[in-house]
Amino acid sequence: MSATSLTPEDLQLLARPLHGFLSVAGPAQPPQPRPVWFEATVDGTIQLFTERDSLKVRRLERDPRASLVVAAPVGEGERWVSVAGRATVEADGARDLASRLAARYWDLRDQVRADALAAMLRVDLLRVVIRAEAVRRYSS
């Protein structure tokens, strides 16, 4: 069954520090999923950050279709959420998003991680926003 919005249960899963697997449309080859940090927003969009010169930005400029799949880790009951829709590439908010996500995924009291975040924030970052057109889910 497909819907166009995230449920409270979906948002609960997506609020956890799990990797999402992002796929964007490619020219002649099938999409190549990549693990990414992400954030589900209260308005039901998915956002992530990337470097300005990344392949995903070039592909999204040609074709804005994207999807993100997130699954519960091994050891839990099978559960996943897939969000597909059109993505936009935004110039604002990427550094704030990167900082929030780094705090979610890493212990920033660890100097190695804090230094990695500082290096990340020195790069020209963009924010990618996926607006859900189809949401699929499974829970055992």
Side-chain angles (χ1 to χ4, degrees):
M1 178 172 195
S2 178
T4 58
S5 60
L6 297 167
T7 66
E9 293 80 17
D10 296 338
L11 291 170
Q12 182 181 38
L13 177 68
L14 298 175
R16 295 171 59 189
L18 301 169
H19 285 99
F21 287 85
L22 175 72
S23 296
V24 297
Q29 58 182 301
Q32 304 294 311
R34 297 290 185 262
V36 296
W37 292 350
F38 66 92
E39 177 179 78
T41 66
V42 292
D43 64 356
T45 62
I46 300 293
Q47 56 182 2
L48 55 115
F49 65 93
T50 190
E51 293 183 29
R52 180 176 296 275
D53 63 352
S54 70
L55 179 60
K56 66 179 77 72
V57 169
R58 292 191 301 276
R59 286 187 171 166
L60 288 169
E61 287 171 343
R62 283 193 301 261
D63 186 334
R65 293 175 297 157
S67 68
L68 183 90
V69 176
V70 178
V74 172
E76 294 183 17
E78 187 175 349
R79 183 176 175 198
W80 56 263
V81 175
S82 169
V83 177
R86 301 220 177 265
T88 56
V89 179
E90 311 286 339
D92 67 317
R95 282 184 173 72
D96 289 339
L97 177 62
S99 295
R100 278 195 313 277
L101 291 176
R104 176 173 144 184
Y105 286 87
W106 288 344
D107 178 356
L108 293 175
R109 295 171 297 184
D110 177 339
Q111 193 59 49
V112 171
R113 296 296 193 187
D115 291 346
L117 173 60
M120 198 182 300
L121 296 176
R122 286 191 295 271
V123 176
D124 193 9
L125 298 175
L126 297 172
R127 188 168 53 99
V128 175
V129 180
I130 303 172
R131 288 165 179 77
E133 295 173 359
V135 177
R136 292 181 174 79
R137 62 191 57 82
Y138 177 81
S139 182
S140 60

